DNA sequence: TTTAAATTAAAACACATGTTTAAAATGTAT
DNA sequence: ATACATTTTAAACATGTGTTTTAATTTAAA
């Protein structure tokens, strides 16, 4: 089709960069079209609405990431640990670099905002997309941690999501602080290296006595 | 002063409930004044601006919570564990119930939004307020985990914050899902019971080989 | 009661947002 | 070259926001 950088792509590129840095709601169409050097109305012309643009930005990544993660999860060897499960995210995440130069960082930031934003439509959309993989993830984690009840697993998985999402959303700011305080430049990939042991450790932790189910389990 | 429910307090009460449910930016002054059954202009009359109202809402809790947490941290016995450190949050949090009936839940939600919102002024304000206690916390956690380098501690503490904040911000929605899927009503306090072992386990986890310092460590 | 201050009320202001409109420009077949 | 569809452009629209203004009202002091 286009010779070089069609309007639609210019919008997608500018939008994803701004979304990843400031979130979806905080980014206006006027900022996006200004950065993309296109007319304001072209967003509604090509995508229909801002909501649709947001979904289009997400879709570009999800279409690559989701099947890749699914494949990794299916490739797990029997007897795998919690750590092994979370390590399944490494390759799909690294592959994001092929979608875009700073793909891994951008994608995780987008994902963070997508999950954090209160907007129902995005929540529903991403949840639908993630529904399948979520089930796979839950099954794998339950197999690695058979001692955890479903409800415990439910909550811990959301704690994991929280730590992950948060680390990415406030990632740029945190990396700045870390670099200033410790004189150490920290790439986004290295944050993953620090995050995975943390969430695996949390997942493997013993459950609190008082939060155990009604079945009496002394000692 | 007032006989019963002064305008200023009606605004504060309505604002805190809406803020805790929808966040600061997503809540408009018109919603607040409608719920409080006061005139729109009274917010600016009594507080000066929306920013000032937000800070006033936060201050009501922080003034009680902060000294209480500080006291608990100072009361730690030598040889304390990571779990002990995080358990210092229990009493100050429970005390929030004296400020307001659903104080613990409201406060944690507010805190979550305060930390999550990108707005600089709130970030700065809360960080200033939390600066002292943060130092205390860092020192205590470092004493409980001497094997962690400062940079590792820095990141893990932020993962902890992420899991905590996230669990609270999306708390109401998650509790609904949990109740629907597991037929189990989950109070906010019980979420804390599930959260603390998780973050303690993550904090105590071994560090990833690749993220260790430049010292070569094969296998 | 009179007077002055504090508070409430209704309206308008200034600005930013996503969206739509209608005309101009461009591209593309016939 | 002509006719038609596609795309771009500039302007306006409709709505929601925090804030300010000005007058009415209530409260409290003299």
């Amino acid at each position: 089709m286009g010779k070089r950088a069609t309007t639609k792509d210019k919008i997608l590129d500018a939008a994803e960069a701004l979304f990843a840095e400031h979130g979806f709601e905080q980014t206006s169409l006027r900022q996006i079209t200004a950065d993309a050097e296109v007319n304001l109305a072209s967003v509604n012309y090509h995508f229909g609405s801002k909501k649709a643009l947001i979904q289009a930005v997400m879709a570009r990544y999800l279409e690559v990431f989701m099947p890749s993660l699914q494949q990794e999860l299916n490739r797990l060897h029997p007897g795998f640990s919690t750590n092994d499960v979370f390590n399944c995210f490494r390759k799909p995440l690294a592959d994001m670099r092929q979608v875009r130069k700073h793909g891994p960082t951008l994608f995780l930031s987008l994902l963070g905002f997508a999950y954090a934003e209160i907007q129902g439509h995005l929540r529903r959309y991403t949840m639908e997309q993630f529904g399948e993989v979520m089930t796979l993830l839950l099954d794998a984690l339950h197999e690695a941690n058979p001692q955890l009840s479903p409800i415990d697993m439910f909550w811990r998985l959301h704690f994991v999501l929280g730590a992950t999402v948060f680390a990415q959303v406030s990632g740029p700011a945190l990396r700045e602080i870390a670099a200033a305080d410790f004189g150490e430049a920290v790439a986004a990939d290295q944050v993953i290296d620090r995050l995975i042991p943390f969430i695996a450790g949390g997942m493997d932790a013993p459950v609190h006595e008082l939060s155990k189910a009604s079945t009496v389990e002394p000692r």
Side-chain angles (χ1 to χ4, degrees), chain A:
Chain A
M1 300 200 172
K3 10 183 110 169
R4 188 61 86 81
T6 150
T7 298
K8 212 167 169 177
D9 285 334
K10 282 198 284 186
I11 293 174
L12 281 173
D13 291 346
E16 102 173 355
L18 287 168
F19 285 157
E21 193 174 350
H22 304 113
F24 299 107
E25 307 208 334
Q26 298 292 330
T27 304
S28 73
L29 294 184
R30 283 169 175 82
Q31 288 177 264
I32 294 171
T33 52
D35 278 26
E37 294 178 318
V38 301
N39 189 272
L40 167 63
S42 50
V43 169
N44 288 284
Y45 176 77
H46 285 287
F47 296 93
S49 68
K50 186 184 178 182
K51 282 186 187 181
L53 171 61
I54 293 174
Q55 293 191 0
V57 167
M58 293 302 297
R60 242 191 344 180
Y61 283 98
L62 289 176
E63 282 163 12
V64 178
F65 179 83
M66 298 271 297
S68 180
L69 174 60
Q70 189 156 356
Q71 187 176 324
E72 292 298 315
L73 287 173
N74 286 326
R75 198 177 283 170
L76 279 170
H77 291 51
F80 54 83
S81 69
T82 307
N83 233 312
D84 296 331
V85 176
F86 288 129
N87 277 325
C88 287
F89 283 82
R90 290 182 179 278
K91 187 182 176 306
L93 217 47
D95 287 349
M96 297 291 94
R97 201 178 309 279
Q98 294 166 8
V99 178
R100 200 153 303 283
K101 192 183 174 189
H102 298 101
T105 307
L106 284 173
F107 174 62
L108 283 177
S109 289
L110 291 173
L111 213 55
F113 281 113
Y115 203 89
E117 302 257 332
I118 321 296
Q119 275 199 94
H121 83 100
L122 233 180
R123 193 92 167 231
R124 245 174 283 125
Y125 173 79
T126 49
M127 274 317 197
E128 280 170 16
Q129 296 291 342
F130 271 92
E132 273 185 70
V133 181
M134 274 297 217
T135 305
L136 256 173
L137 241 186
L138 273 168
D139 290 348
L141 286 173
H142 200 269
E143 197 174 331
N145 289 76
Q147 82 283 2
L148 284 184
S149 70
I151 179 94
D152 279 322
M153 180 59 75
F154 172 86
W155 281 105
R156 291 199 172 183
L157 188 56
H158 280 93
F159 297 151
V160 164
L161 269 176
T164 307
V165 158
F166 192 79
Q168 291 305 325
V169 167
S170 46
L174 287 184
R175 280 201 297 279
E176 268 183 32
I177 298 173
D181 286 10
F182 303 98
E184 182 179 343
V186 186
D189 307 50
Q190 293 170 33
V191 176
I192 299 290
D193 288 338
R194 297 185 191 280
L195 177 64
I196 288 185
F198 177 88
I199 59 183
M203 195 57 100
D204 291 338
V207 296
H208 188 262
E209 294 299 325
L210 297 178
S211 69
K212 282 184 180 171
S214 51
T215 51
V216 181
E217 177 101 5
R219 268 279 109 198

